[in-house]
Amino acid sequence: MFRLFERLVHRLGHWSLIACTVCVIYLMVTQTIEVVLRAFGRPTTWVYDINLVVIVGVVFLGLAGAERAGDNVAVDFITEKLSQRTNRVLKVVNSILILLFLALLIWFGIGVVMESLHQGRTTGGLFRIPSALAQSTLPLGATLMALQVIVDLVRVFRPLPGQADGTPVDAEGEPIPGPQEPVEVPLKPADPEP
Amino acid sequence: MILAVLVACVVLLVIGSPVWVFLGLPAALGTLSIGVPGEAIAARAYEAVNSDTLISIPMFLLVGNVLISSRAMNDLIGCFDSLVGHVKGGMVLVVVAVAMFFGGISGSTTSEASIMALALAGPMLLSGYPKAFTAGLIASTATVAILIPPSIPMILYASITGESVSKLFIAGLVPGVIVSLMLGLGGIIIARRKGYGGSRPASSNSERLHKFLVALPIMTVPAFIVVGIYWGLSTASEIGAVAAVVSILITQFVYRDLGRKKLWAAFVGTARLSAAVMIMNATAQILSWLLAYEGVPQAITSLVTAAHLAPFVFLIAVNVLFFLLGLPLDPPPIMFMTLPILFPTLAILGIDPIHFAVLMMVNMTIAQISPPAGGALFAMATVAKIPLKDVFRGVIPFMGILIIALILITYVPALSLFLVH
């Protein structure tokens, strides 16, 4: 049952990360288009307004993916000197604190969205977009991240094979590439030209 | 109440909570405790990232990710290596040059040190440079590169304080180059006196020309960024976007080594890292808002005014503060924690905020390579597999050079400001 839940959470986080990636590509393309069109004296009226909404999507839709890959920065120079048992306790404590914070962001984020819908608020500028559209990415992204944190928390007590050394692994037990992955230094000079 | 919030922040930091949590959770609970509607918490987090300044972050991260995923860095190393790698101490110049080209693209000094160690430690060790010297040189040059555009910490400084990203990039350029050259000069003197490197034959002129031409396309990317920002061709985020497109075109059509799979991986990596960097911005704004609501910046400003602190004394004090915070922390969390409190004081004391940004970066660089807690040192030791004691030993001479550079940059504001004004 838990494996099914875990797969579902990973699938949702995966699609959310893809949406976040599409937002990054969209920003790159439209910002470039804006520069080119402005050079020809025909700046757009929509790039700035829409991009202000898209950048919010980049932040909140990428949260679950960043959490799963271990990209979120924490200060570990003290905790890494502690025993494995103490670190497990701290992992549980931190997960609970993260869930508490995410719960606040989800609850009050929904409040902000409902208020914007009720008031019919739109973003500023010429291209008026409903504010709720951008604001809803906060509770959505926070919910997906909370689900990922719950999965990680359960995995503290039910580790997958290969996870005992702390290496993050996915639902299939495969290591997830991330900053923790040990990297071998190539002991050879820069590659010659092909 | 505000004291309880700050103590809670420190406790969460110590127990290893993610930075975005220790910046935001205590402040969120503090906000609720004073009776402010909870929607203000979510609204602050949302408004903090609803900013065009932040668009620069994914754009410049993308430039870095695309270039690092391709053979660009190896080509750049090959080019500089063919020029000066054969002379005693020549690899020092290679490291300095590559760090200046690739620096500041990840937002984290520890990541910078890891990337540089991965690319440069092997060639340096093979060229006969000892482990300690290799580690010290790479760690110091890699972290200093956060001064040179494109610098993610500079963008974050702009988003917190409202300063112009372009001005900050320009301000960091000259000190970044000067400090890098100082490190290079120091490294060459040490290498020549101790006879490190230079044990292989020089490349022929035709080989040098070939390697230069191969690396030329990639050299145009940072050059375009610097020139574009300096001449005010566009906003920093637009220049970042164009630089990302140019990087992709170069890796796709010139180097032809970045397949669709690797390119998509670079996009996904950028998306994840952007979210991880900017969520700190979102939750830090909750803390900033609470500090402002409780009048903390005003109280600090009044205290500084009442104490009749001279600007140079204030700068010594903040340099010590940044150094201590910089030992365990990367630049972004330090900026999120301190700038909302300290920034209003700068105007009272007549300190230029752009100059302040530059000295803050140099200071945090020194902290990041200071034994025994500097984060970049652990990254060096892990990635380059150099014993920590060698890393500690090797970094000491370069720390001395950086301290001299910090004094110079702190008390000669013109170094940071003459291009800006």
Side-chain angles (χ1 to χ4, degrees), chain A:
Chain A
M1 188 64 189
F2 174 70
R3 286 297 285 266
L4 196 67
F5 173 70
E6 187 177 32
R7 278 170 196 268
L8 177 70
V9 169
H10 287 171
R11 190 57 41 201
L12 289 171
H14 173 74
W15 284 108
S16 175
L17 185 58
I18 285 183
C20 172
T21 306
V22 170
C23 288
V24 170
I25 296 170
Y26 172 86
L27 286 174
M28 179 189 75
V29 171
T30 53
Q31 294 275 104
T32 306
I33 288 173
E34 175 70 12
V35 173
V36 173
L37 291 179
R38 201 168 52 233
F40 288 103
R42 305 189 65 167
T44 66
T45 53
W46 51 274
V47 166
Y48 180 83
D49 294 349
I50 295 180
N51 285 5
L52 275 186
V53 173
V54 174
I55 187 68
V56 179
V58 172
V59 182
F60 297 125
L61 295 178
L63 285 181
E67 177 66 19
R68 189 176 167 209
D71 283 338
N72 284 315
V73 188
V75 180
D76 57 1
F77 79 105
I78 294 173
T79 54
E80 69 187 10
K81 291 181 177 64
L82 304 174
S83 68
Q84 210 172 357
R85 189 183 153 84
T86 314
N87 264 309
R88 265 166 63 106
V89 173
L90 286 179
K91 164 100 180 156
V92 173
V93 171
N94 278 322
S95 297
I96 292 167
L97 292 171
I98 293 171
L99 287 172
L100 170 65
F101 192 23
L102 289 171
L104 292 176
L105 291 176
I106 294 165
W107 181 256
F108 294 121
I110 290 172
V112 170
V113 172
M114 298 310 287
E115 181 70 13
S116 289
L117 283 174
H118 185 67
Q119 303 274 346
R121 281 192 200 122
T122 57
T123 57
L126 294 169
F127 203 85
R128 294 191 170 272
I129 303 163
S131 297
L133 184 70
Q135 289 164 343
S136 60
T137 56
L138 169 55
L140 177 65
T143 304
L144 293 174
M145 188 182 196
L147 292 173
Q148 181 62 49
V149 173
I150 290 168
V151 165
D152 292 344
L153 184 58
V154 173
R155 282 288 171 217
V156 173
F157 300 102
R158 292 172 56 182
L160 283 165
Q163 207 184 10
D165 63 347
T167 310
V169 289
D170 64 16
E172 284 76 40
E174 293 295 318
I176 298 171
Q180 302 92 333
E181 194 177 6
V183 194
E184 289 293 329
V185 176
L187 278 173
K188 61 184 178 62
D191 289 339
E193 311 315 323

Side-chain angles (χ1 to χ4, degrees), chain B residues 209-365:
Chain B
L209 181 66
H210 172 70
K211 292 203 169 185
F212 174 75
L213 290 176
V214 167
L216 188 60
I218 221 64
M219 290 188 202
T220 59
V221 177
F224 164 75
I225 293 170
V226 170
V227 171
I229 288 169
Y230 185 72
W231 291 104
L233 298 179
S234 218
T235 64
S237 58
E238 287 171 347
I239 285 174
V242 177
V245 171
V246 170
S247 305
I248 291 169
L249 291 177
I250 289 172
T251 52
Q252 289 291 306
F253 299 111
V254 181
Y255 292 146
R256 295 167 187 261
D257 71 332
L258 198 64
R260 249 181 284 173
K261 232 176 164 179
K262 275 169 92 177
L263 181 61
W264 177 250
F267 278 126
V268 174
T270 301
R272 271 193 350 234
L273 204 55
S274 302
V277 171
M278 292 191 286
I279 187 61
M280 293 190 277
N281 204 333
T283 60
Q285 285 300 319
I286 304 170
L287 179 63
S288 300
W289 181 86
L290 184 65
L291 290 170
Y293 187 84
E294 292 286 302
V296 175
Q298 293 90 324
I300 299 285
T301 307
S302 307
L303 208 66
V304 170
T305 314
H308 299 292
L309 268 187
F312 82 95
V313 178
F314 174 80
L315 289 177
I316 291 174
V318 293
N319 270 328
V320 172
L321 174 71
F322 290 151
F323 179 78
L324 293 175
L325 290 173
L327 289 172
L329 294 172
D330 258 345
I334 299 175
M335 290 192 288
F336 290 129
M337 283 193 295
T338 58
L339 281 176
I341 298 173
L342 295 175
F343 194 71
T345 313
L346 302 183
I348 304 287
L349 293 173
I351 298 167
D352 191 299
I354 303 268
H355 172 224
F356 188 74
V358 176
L359 72 90
M360 191 176 186
M361 300 296 157
V362 179
N363 192 308
M364 290 186 293
T365 295

Side-chain angles (χ1 to χ4, degrees), chain B residues 14-15 22 43 52 142 160 168 196 215 225 249-250 290 295 332-333 335 371:
Chain B
V14 170
I15 65 168
F22 83 64
D52 64 325
I160 298 166
L168 286 166
Y196 299 155
I225 293 170
L249 291 177
I250 289 172
L290 184 65
M335 290 192 288

Side-chain angles (χ1 to χ4, degrees), chain B residues 126-144:
Chain B
L126 269 185
S127 300
Y129 292 83
K131 285 179 177 176
F133 180 80
T134 299
L137 178 71
I138 295 177
S140 51
T141 49
T143 50
V144 155

